Amino acid sequence: MKRIVKKVGAVVMSLAVAVSGITIGETKTKSVKAANNWNLVWSDEFNGTSLDTSVWSYEIGNGNWGWGNGEIEYYTNRTDNVRVAGGSLQIIAKKENYGGQKYTSGRIISKGKKYFKYGKMEARIKVENGNQDGVWPAYWMMGENMGKMDEGVRVGWPYCGEIDIMEHANSNNYVGGCLHWNTNGLKGEYSHGSYGSGFDGAEKAFGYYTDNENNGINGWHTYTLIWDANHMEWQLDGKTYLSQSITSNNAYCFQKEQFFLFNLAIAGPDTGFTNNVTANDATFKTATMYVDYLRVY
């Protein structure tokens, strides 16, 4: 879920799958042996009739300049916008005047409740009416130290690090993943580095839908991040489309715990990720992001 800020180059990727442990909070679990031999350590299957607030918190409002992206929705904690039903999480974007905005939607985070370092993060998602102008679903992670004191400094963005596992914009026939961090380190001068998809100045690689003519983002797909101490890779339906070394260029923040976020944004005319394409007020249809499950191995 990108922020519109100065972008400073991209780093060169390398693929190096290594054995590593998984950290959940501060608790070490079994080692990850190989990509095809994972142990499930936690999941939210989104069963039942309400959001598990021991795991998730709502973020409410429009944030600073549309959460830093010029978004034009107002996020609520109403079941009109966020609910669990029929075995899935449902985040619903609607056209309605609320909180000074013309659209409402939902954004949930696991900050302070559930966070991880290393492993395989996998979610099965579809976005009904997700191929409209300005519709921007995202499944991502942020550093657990965001807004906290760490090594004597209060950590902001991008110092905390951001891992975008799945983002989609407008009617694109692809999704992307991306990293954001500060290349001068936690205490260094601001220098926003980015690597991944859909970002000017960053290396671009996308996961393309083979079924975009029929459904694309509107159909069920599995979005995966594989993360160890040396590298990350992004997969769409089990196919790797992007890989990145995290052992160089001061990628310190990706050796720390991160929490999850799901949201369905409505882009404004200044939202770079959607190429400044915003929602069409006259033709917009309600959009719903369905999440079947989130699993960590």
Side-chain angles (χ1 to χ4, degrees), residues 22 47 53 117 169 189 214 259 273:
I22 301 175
N47 294 322
T53 55
K117 184 177 77 171
E189 183 180 351
N214 297 315
F259 62 89
F273 187 78

Side-chain angles (χ1 to χ4, degrees), residues 9 39 92 130 146 222 225 232:
N39 299 309
I92 305 158
M146 173 68 170
T222 303
L225 172 77
M232 292 184 189

Side-chain angles (χ1 to χ4, degrees), residues 15 49 67 125 128 158 170 191 215 219 285:
L15 177 60
T49 58
W67 297 95
I125 300 170
E128 189 176 74
N170 308 329
S191 178
N215 53 42
K285 299 177 181 178

Side-chain angles (χ1 to χ4, degrees), residues 136-289:
W136 179 11
Y139 153 45
W140 50 306
M141 303 182 79
M142 289 264 280
E144 174 61 20
N145 60 358
M146 173 68 170
K148 298 180 178 180
M149 297 298 294
D150 192 349
E151 298 182 22
V153 298
R154 188 169 298 281
V155 180
W157 184 94
Y159 295 80
C160 63
E162 175 180 329
I163 307 170
D164 299 311
I165 304 175
M166 182 282 281
E167 294 184 286
H168 181 268
N170 308 329
S171 59
N172 292 342
N173 66 337
Y174 55 83
V175 291
C178 195
L179 297 178
H180 300 267
W181 74 104
N182 192 67
T183 61
N184 285 332
L186 184 61
K187 296 183 178 181
E189 183 180 351
Y190 177 88
S191 178
H192 171 221
S194 63
Y195 182 88
S197 306
F199 221 80
D200 293 339
E203 186 73 20
K204 289 184 169 71
F206 303 100
Y208 283 88
Y209 296 117
T210 59
D211 60 350
N212 193 62
E213 289 185 3
N214 297 315
N215 53 42
I217 191 70
N218 299 292
W220 287 109
H221 296 280
T222 303
Y223 302 97
T224 303
L225 172 77
I226 296 175
W227 171 21
D228 63 35
N230 297 293
H231 99 299
M232 292 184 189
E233 65 181 80
W234 289 255
Q235 296 181 346
L236 169 60
D237 293 333
K239 182 178 180 180
T240 298
Y241 66 89
L242 178 67
S243 182
Q244 167 62 18
S245 169
I246 56 171
T247 59
S248 61
N249 208 24
N250 211 1
Y252 61 95
C253 52
F254 304 120
Q255 312 299 339
K256 295 175 178 284
E257 288 86 2
Q258 298 240 340
F259 62 89
F260 285 109
L261 303 93
F262 287 105
N263 69 297
L264 181 54
I266 303 297
D270 298 313
T271 302
F273 187 78
T274 60
N275 293 320
N276 304 324
V277 173
T278 188
N280 186 322
D281 292 342
T283 62
F284 179 85
K285 299 177 181 178
T286 297
T288 303
M289 180 181 185

